[in-house]
Amino acid sequence: MRLLVTGGAGFIGSNFIRYMIGKYPQYDFINLDALTYAGNLENLQVIEKHQNYQFIKGDIADVEFVEEIFQKGIDTVVNFAAESHVDRSIHDPAIFTRTNILGSQVLLDASKKYGVEKFVQVSTDEVYGSLGEEGLFHETTPLSPNSPYSASKAGADLLVRAYYETYRLPVMITRCSNNYGPHQFPEKLIPLMISRALANQPLPIYGDGLNIRDWLHVEDHCQAIDLVLHKGKSGEVYNVGGNNELTNIEIVKGILKHLGKSETLIDYVQDRLGHDRRYAIDATKIKQELGWQPKYTFEDGLKETIDWYVENEDWWKRIISGEYQEYYEKQYGKI
Ligand SMILES: Cc1cn([C@H]2C[C@H](O)[C@@H](COP(=O)(O)OP(=O)(O)O[C@H]3O[C@H](CO)[C@@H](O)[C@H](O)[C@H]3O)O2)c(=O)[nH]c1=O
């Protein structure tokens, strides 16, 4: 298998490459990543010298550049490349449309033209919109995205679906709940709160703090994508959720408790615009049809994650300060 992983320097993509390269040493991996603020090659340092791994810096929305890569022979695509942060999309939606929708289309076109055998689109439960107190997102739940980010991901999902219906491109879509784990950029709830608590800074909780997310350890997510890639059926959607529904305030209090910090750090701030109230995912299909079982309990996964951030303070401080690029070039040479 010659696998093109887009967005492989991001949090989930880099975890996926590390997981896959260990499990499938016979495959070739090409990591295409634009190295925007959230991409970090340091996450891939342990595998960067592997003979079957190659990094290419570039933009998935650049047609000619993407075609050149496909001309080298690609049989499988896993598309992680995306602008992913909801708050950023509220302030600046345009880049979300470009990367998430146009970028996906460029990849789909190249995959069609060069006869790719499998195309996995890594998507999100946010495309389904928001739930009330009851119910779960199923694969058949109508798409009803609320933020510019989730609308761009929904747009991409519909394009992926259309390439299956129209051209029979062998596509699959995964829709995951909120990922957490080591190496996540400290703008998402869990790493943001850990890093701020460690620095004794206020922890900004949007609104009443009672919004609910369903938490999934990134390694369990990677295992799910591996199963979809090898056993999934073309044209299908697979939900991937951790079955760990928690309010934001519960998470933040749990972090403070584990770190031995005071709850006086909690700072209730203005709510996010269009803030989705609750996400909860039904992952029965991937469990029953593909045999997926998450390994992490949320309690263990959160403790392990907090400890990782405590032990890797240099990493997140470099990332937050924007010094990462300079650091990387000094340590490992020009990108
Ligand atoms: C950054 C931040 C977040 N929050 C709240 C907003 C949400 O209810 C919850 C989680 O926020 P975020 O970490 O930004 O994640 P969320 O908006 O749920 O979206 C995430 O989860 C999605 C999957 O559900 C992914 O598709 C997105 O890429 C990912 O960013 O915490 C706060 O209360 N304060 C904050 O400072």
Side-chain angles (χ1 to χ4, degrees):
M1 200 182 269
R2 246 175 98 71
L3 218 122
L4 176 68
V5 181
T6 66
F11 165 55
I12 308 176
S14 62
N15 271 285
F16 180 74
I17 293 179
R18 286 200 308 271
Y19 171 90
M20 291 291 283
I21 222 164
K23 190 165 173 193
Y24 303 103
Q26 71 278 25
Y27 293 178
D28 286 327
F29 295 87
I30 297 158
N31 173 13
L32 167 59
D33 195 294
L35 294 183
T36 60
Y37 76 96
N40 185 336
L41 285 178
E42 204 180 335
N43 296 344
L44 292 158
Q45 217 181 308
V46 281
I47 57 109
E48 70 187 359
K49 300 244 157 49
H50 282 47
Q51 293 292 308
N52 57 340
Y53 171 76
Q54 188 191 353
F55 170 72
I56 303 174
K57 184 180 173 187
D59 177 2
I60 56 163
D62 180 338
V63 180
E64 282 168 21
F65 174 76
V66 166
E67 286 223 358
E68 270 175 37
I69 296 173
F70 277 76
Q71 276 160 14
K72 293 179 191 162
I74 298 290
D75 48 48
T76 305
V77 176
V78 184
N79 183 24
F80 290 94
E83 290 292 336
S84 73
H85 198 53
V86 174
D87 295 323
R88 286 178 190 259
S89 82
I90 293 168
H91 296 295
D92 184 12
I95 184 69
F96 285 74
T97 306
R98 184 177 189 279
T99 301
N100 300 358
I101 302 184
L102 188 62
S104 296
Q105 197 201 335
V106 170
L107 291 172
L108 288 164
D109 278 336
S111 299
K112 175 162 82 72
K113 184 166 171 185
Y114 292 94
V116 157
E117 288 158 26
K118 276 178 193 172
F119 186 106
V120 179
Q121 174 74 0
V122 180
S123 186
T124 167
D125 60 359
E126 294 196 15
V127 297
Y128 297 121
S130 182
L131 290 165
E133 279 172 25
E134 299 288 316
L136 297 171
F137 294 135
H138 308 279
E139 284 84 356
T140 49
T141 303
L143 304 195
S144 185
N146 293 316
S147 72
Y149 159 70
S150 52
S152 69
K153 289 297 285 183
D157 282 14
L158 293 177
L159 273 173
V160 172
R161 181 182 178 278
Y163 275 64
Y164 176 73
E165 294 297 331
T166 310
Y167 309 112
R168 284 290 177 253
L169 187 71
V171 304
M172 286 163 281
I173 298 174
T174 59
R175 295 192 180 131
C176 67
S177 57
N178 285 57
N179 280 227
Y180 73 99
H183 295 282
Q184 189 171 29
F185 190 86
E187 66 182 349
K188 309 286 190 210
L189 182 74
I190 289 181
L192 179 78
M193 297 302 164
I194 300 171
S195 56
R196 289 185 70 89
L198 286 171
N200 295 312
Q201 288 173 336
L203 310 184
I205 307 285
Y206 300 156
D208 61 8
L210 298 179
N211 299 64
I212 290 174
R213 296 293 182 264
D214 170 3
W215 295 91
L216 171 69
H217 194 280
V218 66
E219 266 177 49
D220 287 328
H221 185 196
C222 292
Q223 196 218 345
I225 297 170
D226 176 18
L227 281 171
V228 170
L229 186 63
H230 288 95
K231 293 186 177 171
K233 279 199 213 123
S234 289
E236 294 289 314
V237 175
Y238 296 92
N239 280 351
V240 191
N243 199 19
N244 292 304
E245 278 189 59
L246 287 155
T247 61
N248 296 335
I249 193 69
E250 283 172 316
I251 303 257
V252 171
K253 285 188 175 170
I255 293 171
L256 289 170
K257 190 165 174 218
H258 189 70
L259 289 173
K261 298 274 180 182
S262 162
E263 288 186 8
T264 54
L265 285 175
I266 294 172
D267 183 17
Y268 287 93
V269 297
Q270 198 184 355
D271 208 355
R272 173 187 275 174
L273 296 178
H275 197 174
D276 286 338
R277 193 63 174 167
R278 172 171 168 256
Y279 303 147
I281 217 165
D282 173 17
T284 310
K285 178 175 172 181
I286 190 168
K287 286 181 179 165
Q288 286 186 351
E289 292 184 13
L290 308 185
W292 178 68
Q293 262 321 320
K295 293 200 181 88
Y296 276 88
T297 63
F298 183 69
E299 210 189 345
D300 291 347
L302 183 64
K303 278 188 195 149
E304 190 198 278
T305 303
I306 298 172
D307 292 342
W308 188 87
Y309 279 84
V310 171
E311 282 154 27
N312 291 278
E313 202 158 324
D314 286 355
W315 181 88
W316 58 262
K317 284 199 167 149
R318 258 196 313 278
I319 303 278
I320 291 172
S321 68
E323 282 167 12
Y324 161 68
Q325 196 86 0
E326 202 186 312
Y327 165 87
Y328 188 87
E329 287 183 6
K330 249 192 233 150
Q331 297 281 321
Y332 311 109
K334 196 139 186 72
I335 298 163

